[in-house]
Amino acid sequence: MSPPILSLALPSATGRVLSIQSHTVQGYVGNKSAVFPLQLLGYDVDPINSVHFSNHTGYPTFKGQVLNGEQLWDLIEGLEENELLYYTHLLTGYIGSVSFLNTVLKVVDKLRSANPKLIYVCDPVMGDEGKLYVPQELVSVYREKVVPVASMLTPNQFEAEQLTGLRIQSERDGREACNILHAAGPARVVITSINMKGKLLLIGSHQKNEGQAPEQFKIVIPMIPAYFTGTGDLTTALLLGWSNKYPEHLDLAAELAVSSLQAVLHRTMNDYISAGHDPKSSSLEIRLIQSQDEIRNPQVKLKAEKYD
């Protein structure tokens, strides 16, 4: 008789996450930025690497392999054939092709057939600062097919504009974008970064019951004069981790996630300065391993302000 799979027989109190994202040998983006923090918060995490690159694509060169939709489905079938396909959460990040994204939609259906209560946390990675870095045709697939099946959505300002068709120029616009996305599907929406008049805002929205006005809040985030890689992947992972621990308090979950993120970024910037590098001169690889205490037990310094 085969031994039991303990992550299924004796599951962690927090949950079991399937994370489909990119992977780099060196550095912390995609799954490398998401898996470890979730494990620190008590989750069993099974990663599927949508790409396997030597390093992130911001370097002068990169080498590696890209997983296609058929290969993704092979992995899912292998899990299913061995009765390993029970997950409490699905997490997705950067996806580079329509065919792969359509296969992810099949994965959502398959996972929900095993667990109808599956929570799907989607970071709809499409672009930033007015520029798409995925094919244009992905936008309509996200808007028409992915958003309706997501439980939580974590777009940045540009991605929220792409998904809603609404230009976000004020806090009111940000809140309205959340309302549009709620109407399309997800009960929780966090626009993770809105650049407004020199301020950086996170706007969160939780529609606890269909037809009910959502509870909405903002967190004003101090801007750090540097550019970091992997921050969006880390933010979404932390939002998943903390929102599951505090399912009725998305504002508290966001406070904890933002506080951890800020601690990681400050440590990263200070370490680069200690090494004699000007942090404004290039994108910085986050110091994830060195920041594990701040991930497990963040000190909340940035508080959510609820909207009336």
Side-chain angles (χ1 to χ4, degrees):
M1 181 178 174
S2 300
I5 306 301
L6 290 180
S7 63
L8 293 173
L10 300 171
S12 70
T14 43
R16 187 165 186 252
V17 182
L18 181 65
S19 180
I20 304 175
Q21 300 196 57
S22 59
H23 172 88
T24 57
V25 176
Q26 194 281 327
Y28 293 93
V29 298
N31 269 331
K32 283 282 290 287
S33 190
V35 173
F36 179 63
L38 283 168
Q39 290 171 331
L40 284 176
L41 294 178
Y43 294 82
D44 280 312
V45 188
D46 291 349
I48 291 179
N49 299 324
S50 56
V51 305
H52 193 141
F53 287 164
S54 55
N55 44 267
H56 71 68
T57 56
Y59 281 85
T61 65
F62 63 93
K63 298 287 182 75
Q65 298 80 40
V66 178
L67 197 73
N68 62 36
E70 186 177 336
Q71 291 165 327
L72 169 61
W73 195 246
D74 279 346
L75 295 172
I76 297 301
E77 287 185 328
L79 290 168
E80 184 178 34
E81 287 169 9
N82 290 288
E83 299 182 353
L84 301 172
L85 206 59
Y86 184 91
Y87 291 94
T88 58
H89 295 77
L90 171 65
L91 172 62
T92 62
Y94 174 78
I95 292 165
S97 71
V98 169
S99 63
F100 195 90
L101 189 53
N102 280 325
T103 306
V104 167
L105 287 162
K106 287 174 59 182
V107 173
V108 175
D109 287 342
K110 178 70 74 173
L111 295 181
R112 284 200 167 131
S113 68
N115 176 17
K117 294 182 179 179
L118 176 90
I119 295 171
Y120 174 25
V121 178
C122 172
D123 183 4
V125 180
M126 294 183 287
D128 201 2
E129 297 179 348
K131 294 180 181 177
L132 279 175
Y133 38 68
V134 297
Q136 176 70 45
E137 55 264 31
L138 254 75
V139 177
S140 59
V141 179
Y142 270 113
R143 187 190 301 129
E144 295 165 15
K145 297 181 179 179
V146 179
V147 171
V149 299
S151 313
M152 179 191 289
L153 208 62
T154 63
N156 61 29
Q157 179 176 357
F158 174 70
E159 291 157 352
E161 291 174 341
Q162 294 293 308
L163 292 174
T164 62
L166 178 68
R167 186 85 188 274
I168 300 174
Q169 297 178 300
S170 66
E171 290 182 42
R172 183 183 294 274
D173 292 340
R175 296 174 66 189
E176 180 57 26
C178 291
N179 291 337
I180 293 170
L181 292 168
H182 284 315
R188 295 179 179 89
V189 177
V190 180
I191 305 178
T192 55
S193 58
I194 300 176
N195 202 328
M196 199 169 292
K197 299 173 184 173
K199 290 193 303 184
L200 197 62
L201 294 181
L202 175 150
I203 291 182
S205 187
H206 187 186
Q207 187 174 40
K208 294 184 175 179
N209 296 295
E210 197 171 337
Q212 185 181 44
E215 295 178 4
Q216 296 184 323
F217 61 89
K218 69 176 178 181
I219 300 177
V220 181
I221 303 169
M223 297 188 79
I224 298 174
Y227 177 76
F228 306 86
T229 55
T231 54
D233 310 315
L234 174 58
T235 300
T236 298
L238 292 170
L239 285 167
L240 184 163
W242 289 114
S243 66
N244 189 54
K245 290 173 184 279
Y246 300 102
E248 296 301 311
H249 300 284
L250 185 59
D251 53 342
L252 175 56
E255 287 176 353
L256 291 160
V258 167
S259 297
S260 283
L261 177 68
Q262 288 289 297
V264 172
L265 299 187
H266 280 290
R267 179 185 292 274
T268 300
M269 189 169 69
N270 291 336
D271 283 358
Y272 272 99
I273 292 170
S274 297
H277 181 78
D278 179 2
K280 298 178 186 177
S281 65
S282 60
S283 63
L284 309 179
E285 300 265 20
I286 55 175
R287 298 282 277 172
L288 201 63
I289 304 305
Q290 295 76 10
S291 305
Q292 54 189 285
D293 290 343
E294 291 86 350
I295 293 169
R296 272 200 204 93
N297 299 299
Q299 291 185 343
V300 175
K301 297 178 180 177
L302 302 173
K303 301 291 288 184
E305 301 173 47
K306 292 184 179 181
Y307 291 110
D308 295 331

